[in-house]
């Protein structure tokens, strides 16, 4: 009856005055469908029975009446039976818990089983489905689930219909079966139910084996190979997959064994069901003992299936690949390692398939390699039986790794040209996981990759992943061993360099190598190439050889990337660096980068961000090697390394200073950063000595007097005598200040005073273009030495304000960085004089906010925000008063006379509002003061106020704006109709 399907979707009320019979009559009384008329008639008959026996029209009473009627009905009237089954499917879900006793429920199940089992073919699909649903509901909700006999008959009926040829009936029965299994708790009952299910599997065993051996023609549907008489056997596997999580361990083991036997190497009508069943067992079996006895067999079957990937559907091949990974996880460690090469071999074949399959297979292979090939285990297990490293012996780990390498070597050999990305990324991971032993186990793979690089046509794009593999080898085994396999050598006859393509890969991937290898092997090789290049000028090979030699020497930063022998070899490296600095200008950048890496990688804590540090982060990728996150120094190693760096840095720093200042050109940002790094390892007295030496070198008669001035009182510093040429003075100051700024970090008071004298002398000069170094140096002094700001506050403010804002962006940024520190100090000071100086700085900032150059406005804006941030995070006693104090200082300019100043003050407030919108909430009078400026006649001021409002509205929360809305709208709405000067557009918020 179709009504049954409808009733599943329609809810019926229970309780109170809700009579099921009346609900059915109300719903179907006007229907002309015969099934509806039979259903209404059945409901009316049931109510008549209840009325005659004076029973209430409750669901339990209706249930009893309907079961009784079904029990006495005859099979000769299938319409009546169908109507009763439909009626029961409506009533049973409405019966409350405990509304039917367990014995009565058992009897009712027996009554329901008779018509659907005996005369099921005469009943419609809907009626059968209704009957199955009733049985399932009664079994789960009312029968004694701890008594197998109580549920045996109903269980058997549901099990029978779970493989029925009619999809709706079958689906309903399978759902009921799952619910019933999920409700069973008693072990003995679970065992009986499991055995009954397994008996069903054995009953169809012969058909299943016949189906599993049947090949499905490619392109045809698997279902078409299932005849009607075989369909039930196939449905058995679906039932198994659905119920496996609830079965007894013994039956799960037996089912797993049968599924393994059914799994063939070619796709069959049952393959998807078999794979699903195995997958379910792997996921649901908490005890691996259930699958261990058959695990080797299932690995073999799945491997065989995956190996024939070109003859089997792609989705099943990927599913089988995933199950192979799960199977290895379930296997014993020894078996797992023994089977790993077999599994990897089958999966490796998928790496040449379509991208989707290859990508998924690549992920699975990477997971397997990461899980089962471990560097530490290999090193612990491997041993060398003789001097020949090829005599490596070991146990299961070594043998598995060696066999896996053989698999991928074969994969590479089978490729025509450069392999696909998916193959190479797996190989790169394999080499990485092999670690030092990749030199032995992956030797042939690396040699094959090298051949591919030599034969690669075109640029590097086609060989990108090959390079990554060789880069992984560089990291795994180190450059020394790799260059033993693939030596970079000079061919004297042809005047050529073999394997020169390796140099860029080495530059990018070397990490954790030794300085000794660079000094003793790389440098001599580079020298020999450059020497021969001179002789080969006429042959045309000279330039190529010279370039190779230079690039080899430029591997210096790569070898300084977490080197392992800094305490032993840094002294030798310093001597080499000194030669590079003096004689080889093309090595300057490499030396600078190397020094930064050596120092920064050994510092215990990150240093405060400075201009030099920012420049260091912008080192070009060509100069800076990749840093492997796995490499780092222990605290103990860092301490030893820093001691070694400090012990040899004085000579190197002095050389840098001498050579770079002698050139008379501006020092590069790389060398500034390098000098700063070296200087940070030295004592302040050493840095002071170097700086004084430099000053004496420039002008022994004049500049040496500065040292004497440092020891005098601050007020006795005399002005610099200006008898020299302007050009010489500018070059001198520029070089000295560049170096002085690098000495600020960690400097003691006497050195800071010396540096400040140099800064002041630059400010006293008439050439404004010479102040970039002075601004930068002064900003670093103020940021890193708080005592200096306190002791020289007034003097420094006057000195800065006596000069106009510089034209170049860098100087402007440094100038306002100075103002940030000074202004924050002045506002926090209790001195009235220092407070007044803070007002002068604020005046400068406000004027600059109205400057025509964007970079100047940005510098002032950033400085103002930093002042506010500094005050807000201040730990002083009166910290709560500092930010309001700044706001009041700015607000004071609003009442000024100059429109330029007043609009600038509003702009300054806009900057702070953007940073912290709560300013207006904490100071309501501030908003009123700003909005009152809309009544002025100055267009400049009005524009600034409307901009202020726009910032306020766009940064504030809607709830916060509610408190300000009335005041805002009252003042700005009149301007919405004014189209001149873009006022109208500013109001479209």
């Amino acid at each position: 009856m179709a009504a049954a399907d409808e009733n599943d979707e329609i809810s019926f009320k229970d309780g109170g005055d809700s009579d099921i019979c009346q609900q059915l009559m109300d719903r179907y009384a006007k229907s002309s469908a015969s099934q509806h008329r039979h259903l209404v008639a059945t409901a009316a008959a049931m109510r008549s029975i209840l009325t005659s026996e004076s029973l209430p029209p409750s669901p339990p009473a209706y249930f009893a009446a309907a079961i009784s009627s079904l029990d006495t009905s005859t099979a000769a009237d299938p319409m009546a039976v169908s109507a009763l089954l439909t009626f029961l499917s409506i009533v049973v879900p409405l019966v409350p818990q405990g509304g039917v006793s367990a014995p009565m429920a058992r009897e009712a199940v027996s009554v329901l089983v008779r018509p659907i089992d005996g005369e099921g073919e005469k009943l419609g699909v809907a009626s059968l489905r209704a009957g199955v649903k009733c049985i399932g509901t009664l079994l789960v909700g009312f029968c004694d689930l701890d008594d197998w006999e109580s549920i045996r008959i109903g269980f058997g009926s549901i099990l029978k219909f779970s493989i029925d040829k009619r999809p709706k009936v079958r689906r309903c029965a399978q759902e009921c079966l799952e619910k019933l299994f999920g409700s069973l708790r008693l072990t003995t009952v679970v065992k009986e139910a499991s055995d009954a299910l397994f008996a069903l599997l054995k009953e169809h065993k012969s058909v299943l084996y016949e189906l599993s051996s049947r090949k499905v023609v490619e392109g045809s549907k698997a279902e078409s190979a299932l005849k009607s008489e075989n369909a039930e056997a196939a449905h058995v596997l679906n039932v198994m997959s659905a119920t496996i999580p609830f079965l007894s361990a013994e039956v799960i083991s037996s089912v797993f064994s049968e599924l393994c036997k059914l799994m063939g190497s070619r796709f069959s009508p049952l393959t998807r069901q078999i794979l699903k069943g195995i997958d379910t067992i792997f996921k649901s079996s908490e005890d691996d003992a259930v699958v261990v006895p058959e695990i080797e067999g299932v690995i073999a079957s799945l491997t065989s299936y995956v190996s024939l990937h070109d003859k089997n559907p792609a989705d099943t091949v990927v599913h089988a690949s995933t199950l192979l990974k799960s199977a290895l996880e379930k296997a014993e460690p020894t078996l797992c390692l023994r089977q790993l090469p077999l599994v990897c071999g089958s999966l490796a074949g998928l790496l040449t398939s379509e991208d989707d399959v290859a990508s998924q297979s690549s992920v699975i292979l990477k997971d397997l390699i990461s899980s089962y090939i471990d560097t530490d285990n290999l090193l612990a297990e491997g041993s060398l039986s003789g001097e020949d490293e090829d005599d490596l012996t070991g146990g299961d780990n070594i043998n598995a790794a060696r066999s896996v390498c053989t698999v991928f070597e074969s994969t590479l050999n089978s490729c025509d040209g450069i392999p696909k990305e998916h193959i190479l990324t797996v190989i790169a991971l394999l080499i990485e996981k092999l670690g030092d032993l990749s030199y032995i186990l992956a030797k042939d793979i690396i040699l094959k990759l090298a051949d591919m690089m030599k034969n690669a046509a075109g640029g590097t794009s086609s060989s990108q992943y090959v390079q990554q593999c060789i880069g992984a080898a560089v990291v795994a085994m180190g450059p020394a061993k790799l260059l033993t396999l693939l030596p970079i050598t000079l061919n004297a006859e042809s005047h050529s360099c073999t394997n020169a393509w390796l140099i860029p890969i080495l530059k990018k991937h070397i990490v954790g190598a030794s300085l000794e290898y660079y000094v003793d092997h790389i440098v001599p090789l580079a020298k020999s190439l450059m020497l021969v290049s001179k002789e080969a000028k006429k042959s045309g090979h000279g330039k190529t050889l010279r370039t190779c030699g230079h690039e080899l020497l430029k591997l210096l930063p790569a070898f300084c990337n977490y080197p392992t022998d800094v305490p032993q070899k840094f002294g030798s490296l310093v001597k080499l660096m000194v030669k590079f600095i003096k004689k080889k200008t093309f090595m300057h950048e490499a030396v600078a980068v190397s020094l930064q890496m050596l120092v920064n990688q050994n510092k215990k804590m990150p240093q405060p961000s400075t201009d030099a540090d920012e420049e260091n982060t912008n080192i070009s990728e060509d100069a800076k090697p990749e840093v492997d996150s796995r490499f780092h120094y222990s605290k103990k190693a860092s301490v030893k390394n820093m001691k070694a760096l400090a012990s040899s840095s004085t000579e190197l720093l002095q050389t840098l200073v001498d050579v770079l200042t002698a050139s008379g050109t501006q020092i590069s940002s790389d060398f500034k950063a390098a000098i700063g790094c070296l200087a940070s390892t030295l004592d302040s007295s050493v840095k002071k000595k170097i700086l004084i030496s430099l000053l004496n070198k420039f002008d022994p008669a004049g500049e040496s007097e500065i040292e004497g001035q440092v020891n005098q009182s601050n007020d006795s510093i005399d002005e610099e005598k200006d008898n020299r040429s302007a050009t010489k003075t500018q070059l001198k100051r520029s070089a000295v200040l560049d170096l002085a700024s690098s000495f600020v970090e960690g400097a003691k008071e006497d050195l800071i005073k010396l540096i400040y004298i140099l800064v002041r002398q630059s400010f006293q000069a008439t050439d404004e273009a010479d102040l970039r170094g002075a601004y930068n140096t002064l900003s670093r002094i103020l940021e890193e030495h708080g005592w200096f700001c306190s002791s020289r506050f007034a003097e420094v403010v006057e000195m800065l304000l006596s000069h106009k804002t510089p034209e170049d962006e860098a100087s402007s940024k440094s100038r306002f960085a100075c103002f940030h520190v000074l202004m924050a100090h002045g506002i926090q000071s209790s001195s009235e004089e220092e407070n007044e100086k803070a007002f002068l700085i604020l005046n400068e900032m406000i004027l600059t906010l109205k400057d025509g150059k964007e970079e100047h406005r940005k510098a002032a804006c950033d400085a103002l925000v930093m002042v506010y941030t500094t005050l807000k995070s201040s730990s002083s006693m009166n910290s709560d008063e500092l930010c309001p104090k700044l706001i009041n200082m700015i607000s004071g300019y609003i009442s000024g006379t100059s429109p330029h100043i007043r609009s600038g003050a509003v702009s300054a407030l806009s900057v702070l509002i953007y940073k912290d919108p709560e300013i207006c909430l904490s100071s309501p009078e501030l908003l009123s003061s700003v909005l009152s400026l809309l009544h002025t006649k100055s267009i400049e001021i009005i524009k600034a106020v409307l901009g202020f409002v726009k910032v306020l509205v766009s940064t504030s929360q809607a709830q916060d704006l509610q408190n300000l809305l009335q005041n805002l709208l009252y003042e700005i709405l009149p301007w919405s109709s004014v189209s001149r000067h873009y006022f109208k557009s500013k109001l479209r918020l």
Side-chain angles (χ1 to χ4, degrees), residues 132 171 254 308 484 559 584 589 719 774 856 872:
V132 170
R171 196 155 44 242
S254 300
L308 296 176
T484 302
F559 280 92
K584 301 189 183 299
E589 181 185 10
E719 295 185 359
H856 291 173
K872 195 166 187 177

Side-chain angles (χ1 to χ4, degrees), residues 411-665:
T411 303
L412 286 178
N413 289 332
S414 66
C415 294
D416 183 16
I418 293 181
K420 294 176 67 174
E421 164 195 350
H422 305 294
I423 297 175
L424 295 172
T425 54
V426 174
I427 290 176
L429 177 64
L430 174 62
I431 293 172
E432 177 187 327
K433 296 296 291 184
L434 290 172
D436 284 340
L437 290 180
S438 61
Y439 173 69
I440 302 170
L441 300 177
K443 178 187 296 184
D444 293 333
I445 291 177
I446 293 168
L447 293 175
K448 179 65 179 177
L449 292 168
D451 289 339
M452 291 179 180
M453 279 297 301
K454 294 172 185 176
N455 299 327
T460 60
S461 58
S462 61
S463 60
Q464 173 187 354
Y465 294 101
V466 180
Q467 293 182 52
Q468 288 183 9
C469 289
I470 297 175
V474 174
V475 176
M477 68 176 71
K481 288 183 176 179
L482 182 70
L483 289 174
T484 302
L485 289 179
L486 303 172
I488 298 175
T489 56
L490 172 65
N491 189 323
E493 295 181 1
S494 62
H495 291 135
S496 61
C497 181
T498 59
N499 295 326
W501 54 267
L502 258 179
I503 298 175
I505 298 175
L506 292 170
K507 181 181 290 188
K508 190 175 182 181
H509 290 93
I510 289 176
V511 59
S514 71
L515 300 175
E516 180 182 17
Y517 189 81
Y518 178 80
V519 174
D520 295 347
H521 294 85
I522 300 297
V523 173
L525 175 60
K527 287 181 178 178
S528 65
L529 291 175
M530 290 187 289
L531 182 62
V532 174
S533 71
K534 295 178 182 178
E535 303 171 0
K537 285 183 179 179
K538 296 181 180 179
S539 65
H541 296 291
K543 185 177 180 180
T544 301
L545 290 175
R546 184 169 63 256
T547 301
C548 287
H550 286 186
E551 292 303 314
L552 281 170
L553 290 180
K554 288 180 181 179
L555 290 177
L556 178 59
F559 280 92
C560 290
N561 189 17
Y562 290 99
T564 57
D565 55 352
V566 173
Q568 297 81 16
K569 291 297 175 180
F570 183 66
S572 302
L573 185 66
V574 166
K575 295 177 182 178
L576 188 62
M577 284 182 168
V578 168
K579 293 179 181 178
F580 287 158
I581 294 168
K582 290 180 177 179
K583 300 180 180 180
K584 301 189 183 299
T585 56
F586 69 88
M587 283 297 293
H588 282 187
E589 181 185 10
V591 171
V593 173
S594 300
L595 291 173
Q596 294 174 65
M597 294 176 70
L598 285 170
V599 175
N600 292 334
Q601 289 175 356
N602 281 285
K603 285 186 176 180
K604 295 179 182 178
M605 298 294 291
Q607 296 300 306
S609 177
T610 63
D611 291 341
D613 293 332
E614 290 172 6
E615 289 160 355
N616 188 17
T617 62
N618 294 325
I619 296 172
S620 66
E621 290 299 320
D622 291 337
K624 191 167 88 174
E626 286 189 353
V627 177
D628 194 305
S629 59
R630 296 169 300 161
F631 289 85
H632 64 277
Y633 290 124
S634 65
K635 183 178 180 180
K636 183 178 180 181
S638 293
V639 170
K640 290 178 66 176
N641 289 345
M642 288 300 285
K643 286 182 179 179
L645 292 173
S647 65
S648 301
S649 291
T650 303
E651 178 190 358
L652 187 56
L653 182 59
Q654 186 67 62
T655 302
L656 278 171
V657 170
D658 292 343
V659 172
L660 296 175
T661 53
S663 65
T665 59

Side-chain angles (χ1 to χ4, degrees), residues 701-728:
E703 293 296 344
S704 60
E705 297 176 5
I706 295 176
E707 169 59 8
Q709 296 177 24
V710 171
N711 297 320
Q712 299 174 7
S713 64
N714 295 336
D715 295 332
S716 63
I717 299 177
D718 298 324
E719 295 185 359
E720 179 186 16
K721 297 177 180 179
D722 234 345
N723 318 7
R724 318 167 183 87
S725 74
T727 302
K728 181 180 177 182

Side-chain angles (χ1 to χ4, degrees), residues 108-137:
V109 168
S110 299
V111 171
L112 285 163
V113 167
R114 282 196 295 272
I116 66 172
D117 275 3
E119 303 296 333
E121 295 299 327
K122 297 180 181 180
L123 300 175
V125 171
S127 300
L128 273 177
R129 186 168 177 268
V132 170
K133 184 178 179 182
C134 287
I135 294 173
T137 305

Side-chain angles (χ1 to χ4, degrees), residues 263-268 271 275 300-309 312-313 316-317 320:
M263 185 67 204
S265 60
R266 293 292 301 274
F267 181 69
S268 75
T271 298
L275 293 174
S301 298
L302 292 170
T303 300
S304 177
Y305 187 83
V306 172
S307 298
L308 296 176
H309 59 89
N312 296 319
T316 61
V317 171

Side-chain angles (χ1 to χ4, degrees), residues 329-488:
E329 291 172 351
K330 297 285 184 181
E332 295 290 338
T334 303
L335 175 63
C336 177
L337 290 172
R338 195 166 65 246
Q339 294 293 326
L340 182 63
L342 179 67
V343 174
C344 288
S346 64
L347 292 173
L350 301 180
L351 297 175
T352 56
S353 302
E354 296 296 326
D355 280 347
D356 185 48
V357 175
S359 176
Q360 295 182 65
S361 303
S362 173
V363 171
I364 296 171
L365 276 167
K366 289 175 185 176
D367 287 342
L368 291 176
I369 291 171
S370 296
S371 300
Y372 302 113
I373 296 182
D374 182 77
T375 306
D376 294 334
N377 290 340
L378 292 172
L379 291 174
E381 187 179 84
S383 62
L384 293 174
S385 59
E387 295 182 0
D388 186 357
E389 290 183 308
D390 289 329
D391 294 332
L392 176 68
T393 60
D396 294 330
N397 285 283
I398 293 291
N399 293 334
R402 181 183 280 115
S403 298
V404 171
C405 288
T406 302
V407 166
F408 285 101
E409 182 187 346
S410 299
T411 303
L412 286 178
N413 289 332
S414 66
C415 294
D416 183 16
I418 293 181
K420 294 176 67 174
E421 164 195 350
H422 305 294
I423 297 175
L424 295 172
T425 54
V426 174
I427 290 176
L429 177 64
L430 174 62
I431 293 172
E432 177 187 327
K433 296 296 291 184
L434 290 172
D436 284 340
L437 290 180
S438 61
Y439 173 69
I440 302 170
L441 300 177
K443 178 187 296 184
D444 293 333
I445 291 177
I446 293 168
L447 293 175
K448 179 65 179 177
L449 292 168
D451 289 339
M452 291 179 180
M453 279 297 301
K454 294 172 185 176
N455 299 327
T460 60
S461 58
S462 61
S463 60
Q464 173 187 354
Y465 294 101
V466 180
Q467 293 182 52
Q468 288 183 9
C469 289
I470 297 175
V474 174
V475 176
M477 68 176 71
K481 288 183 176 179
L482 182 70
L483 289 174
T484 302
L485 289 179
L486 303 172
I488 298 175

